[in-house]
Amino acid sequence: MIFSDLFFLFAFLPAFFLCYTVAAVADRRSRKSYAVTDDGSSQLQTGNMFKNMVLVVFSLIFYAWGEPVYVFLMIFSSFVNYRAGLFISSRQEHRKAALATGIGVNLLILGIFKYLGFFASILAGFGLPLQVPQIALPIGISFYTFQSISYLVDVYRRESPVQRRYADLLLYISMFPQLVAGPIVRYGTVAHEIQHRRVEMNDIAEGMFRFLIGLGKKVVMANQLSEISDQFLVGGLSELSTTGAWIGIVAFTFQIYFDFSGYSDMAIGLGRMIGFHFNENFRHPYCCDTITDFWRRWHISLGSFFRDYVYIPMGGNRQHQAMNILVVWFLTGMWHGASWNFILWGVYFGIIVMVEKYTVLRIKDRLPRFLLHLYSLVLVVIGWGIFYFDDFGKMQVFFNSFFGGGKVFDDFLTHSALMDNFWLWVAAVLFSMPIRTAVTGWLAGRLRQWDEPLAETLITAGRIAFSVALLVVCAALLVGATNNAFIYTRFYRKRKERR
């Protein structure tokens, strides 16, 4: 199940909020409960037992919708991390062993389901008599595995409290708003809110608006841009013109941004509506002035995970910096998928980031911002070309056309894709920049200077009208949509189809 689906929007989500509202009433009327604190004492508290129960049940249903069997894998993984966390917290003499065991089990599960077939095919290619296992990839396993690892490490470092209730740790790992495609939520971010969250009307309004903004990014922008990118990049690459290669990969560049950031917006919005505050995951990455800056803005939760749990423990900037950077970016590429193009993509950006530390970053203040921005965008677009093609033969044909080696430089198909979708291109450029935030902030400020009570009424009415219109447009576009899968699940399907 995905967020940009009519069943999710008009069946699953209403059913969830109905049950969640009833559970909230039950929690308010229930007796106060005792909780055991870290020092072993009992503390009287009001909990969210019924709300949490509803959230866990609906999260498991959400995850089981496609392949029910993998719900048991996630439940098992959660239990292992629950027991490992308790052991780390309570046993001083074997804390490292418990941490290593917990992380090892997480990585073993991830390795078996995501990478075993990949490495077996490599060894088979060297002539070893191995049968490549046919193991389906559970959706979202990379996200909840990394969340589990971050939980264990933070408990070990005493940066987060241990969770003593298995049901609450299962809630953290399985929470459907961010389960399938992130952001990667640290346990410390939501630890207090699991039992102590409160939801005000402002949270519901802000969360709903954020969710619909994300839905619009996905349905109105990403889905339409995917039709353009597929038109040029799927099949017929031998006839691809140079301008066609650029149009196709630029369309994909916008598509993947609106797809990923739209999903993060929807996750953050849904979390806000039920009292959780997830961190931002995208900050207008195409406004970057270096590749280093791009990766501070793109998939922030993933970058911070590798920084805090891999790069800094390896020595960070203190020792073997170049090697640390390359290892992190190799793992970043591997995390995105078990395919050589993802590894190449990660190493490509790792090399650029490493080179920038000794060149561009030292002189960027003396360089024109426009040139830095252009330099960054060209490298990002080339990177998405590597990311897109998991077949190196097709990748070579594409880049041959991309760099001017195609049969023709220009063709009618390119002009048609530009002119027939003119306003879509304009919207893609504008909405990938912080223009919406700047304009709405300026307008709200001017209205408040004029008449603050009336301004608040107009702002609220405007948001409601915009939200309703956006929902209607998205619903209309989703009726009969054939190109609606979230891009993460599309790469998952490609892997299954190759089998």
Side-chain angles (χ1 to χ4, degrees):
M1 194 185 303
I2 58 174
F3 291 169
S4 56
D5 181 84
L6 291 174
F7 178 82
F8 176 83
L9 292 173
F10 298 108
F12 181 90
L13 213 51
F16 166 71
F17 279 118
L18 176 62
C19 294
Y20 194 80
T21 302
V22 173
V25 174
D27 278 329
R28 284 197 296 269
R29 293 183 177 180
S30 65
R31 293 180 301 175
K32 294 181 177 180
S33 60
Y34 284 93
V36 179
T37 59
D38 289 343
D39 61 3
S41 62
S42 296
Q43 179 179 335
L44 196 63
Q45 68 170 10
T46 56
N48 292 309
M49 181 179 67
F50 293 109
K51 286 191 293 186
N52 289 350
M53 190 183 306
V54 167
L55 182 54
V56 168
V57 169
F58 273 83
S59 294
L60 295 179
I61 293 172
F62 177 87
Y63 191 73
W65 197 257
E67 294 182 79
V69 66
Y70 288 125
V71 166
F72 299 104
L73 176 66
M74 184 171 61
I75 291 173
F76 169 75
S77 172
S78 303
F79 183 76
V80 169
N81 286 287
Y82 167 70
R83 296 301 303 174
L86 291 178
F87 205 96
I88 291 169
S89 176
S90 60
R91 302 293 182 90
Q92 295 297 321
E93 64 275 16
H94 299 301
R95 296 176 74 242
K96 286 187 178 180
L99 174 66
T101 302
I103 293 177
V105 172
N106 281 297
L107 293 179
L108 180 63
I109 293 173
L110 182 64
I112 290 173
F113 284 91
K114 190 167 184 176
Y115 301 108
L116 183 60
F118 175 63
F119 288 116
S121 65
I122 293 174
L123 294 176
F126 283 106
L128 294 178
L130 293 176
Q131 184 178 0
V132 179
Q134 305 296 312
I135 304 175
L137 175 64
I139 294 294
I141 189 171
S142 298
F143 289 95
Y144 75 71
T145 298
F146 272 28
Q147 290 196 176
S148 300
I149 291 173
S150 72
Y151 165 72
L152 294 179
V153 174
D154 288 351
V155 170
Y156 176 81
R157 293 173 175 173
R158 295 187 173 90
E159 294 175 357
S160 293
V162 66
Q163 178 51 257
R164 300 188 179 278
R165 284 172 47 88
Y166 169 67
D168 287 345
L169 186 66
L170 179 61
L171 180 150
Y172 160 67
I173 292 174
S174 69
M175 199 186 312
F176 77 86
Q178 46 77 53
L179 171 63
V180 172
I184 299 169
V185 178
R186 305 283 184 91
Y187 179 71
T189 303
V190 297
H192 180 77
E193 293 174 337
I194 288 176
Q195 283 295 344
H196 299 281
R197 64 188 181 276
R198 294 185 61 185
V199 180
E200 307 291 343
M201 285 304 299
N202 182 60
D203 293 311
I204 297 174
E206 290 292 331
M208 188 177 300
F209 184 72
R210 185 68 178 270
F211 175 83
L212 290 172
I213 289 293
L215 183 66
K217 283 183 176 181
K218 166 60 182 165
V219 177
V220 180
M221 300 301 300
N223 285 3
Q224 314 311 310
L225 287 160
S226 71
E227 295 182 3
I228 300 174
S229 64
D230 288 351
Q231 184 180 13
F232 291 95
L233 305 180
V234 177
L237 287 175
S238 60
E239 305 297 324
L240 188 63
S241 66
T242 297
T243 54
W246 277 87
I247 290 295
I249 201 61
V250 169
F252 179 73
T253 297
F254 283 122
Q255 174 199 347
I256 198 169
Y257 165 68
F258 287 115
D259 205 296
F260 269 105
S261 69
Y263 200 103
S264 290
D265 285 343
M266 288 187 276
I268 292 169
L270 284 173
R272 181 78 180 270
M273 282 190 275
I274 57 177
F276 290 98
H277 294 76
F278 304 151
N279 293 331
E280 293 295 329
N281 206 26
F282 290 84
R283 290 196 178 97
H284 306 288
Y286 295 152
C287 293
C288 61
D289 54 13
T290 60
I291 296 301
T292 303
D293 184 37
F294 172 78
W295 282 105
R296 289 177 183 144
R297 298 165 174 264
W298 179 277
H299 211 328
I300 299 168
S301 62
L302 178 64
S304 64
F305 178 93
F306 279 115
R307 180 195 65 212
D308 295 341
Y309 301 114
V310 179
Y311 182 71
I312 293 177
M314 287 181 65
N317 300 332
R318 301 185 307 277
Q319 56 182 355
H320 312 302
Q321 184 182 28
M323 184 188 72
N324 297 341
I325 291 173
L326 290 178
V327 168
V328 164
W329 284 99
F330 175 85
L331 295 175
T332 300
M334 282 286 292
W335 181 86
H336 281 83
S339 178
W340 283 111
N341 68 304
F342 294 124
I343 296 174
L344 177 61
W345 175 77
V347 173
Y348 164 81
F349 277 116
I351 292 172
I352 295 173
V353 169
M354 183 173 60
V355 170
E356 281 189 349
K357 285 185 175 293
Y358 302 104
T359 56
V360 177
L361 295 183
R362 295 184 177 184
I363 60 172
K364 62 175 292 189
D365 292 338
R366 300 195 295 271
L367 296 175
R369 178 66 185 270
F370 171 77
L371 290 179
L372 288 171
H373 184 58
L374 183 62
Y375 142 85
S376 302
L377 288 182
V378 170
L379 292 181
V380 167
V381 168
I382 293 172
W384 290 133
I386 299 171
F387 188 91
Y388 187 90
F389 293 99
D390 55 4
D391 183 309
F392 281 131
K394 292 181 178 179
M395 186 188 300
Q396 182 180 358
V397 173
F398 165 77
F399 277 115
N400 182 57
S401 298
F402 182 85
F403 289 112
K407 290 185 177 180
V408 294
F409 179 80
D410 200 6
D411 58 13
F412 174 77
L413 191 61
T414 302
H415 293 281
S416 177
L418 284 173
M419 300 311 299
D420 293 349
N421 301 282
F422 177 78
W423 291 111
L424 178 63
W425 290 110
V426 172
V429 172
L430 292 179
F431 292 135
S432 63
M433 297 188 290
I435 289 178
R436 178 183 62 84
T437 305
V439 171
T440 54
W442 175 83
L443 184 60
R446 294 298 297 267
L447 287 173
R448 289 189 179 100
Q449 288 179 357
W450 175 44
D451 188 325
E452 187 163 349
L454 179 60
E456 295 301 327
T457 302
L458 290 175
I459 292 169
T460 302
R463 279 196 164 195
I464 293 173
F466 179 78
S467 299
V468 171
L470 193 55
L471 180 60
V472 170
V473 170
C474 289
L477 290 173
L478 286 172
V479 175
T482 59
N483 203 16
N484 183 47
F486 174 57
I487 206 162
Y488 180 74
T489 61
R490 288 179 64 190
F491 282 105
Y492 159 77
R493 285 199 189 99
K494 283 184 179 181
R495 175 179 163 177
K496 291 181 71 175
E497 288 165 1
R498 289 198 298 271
R499 296 173 178 157

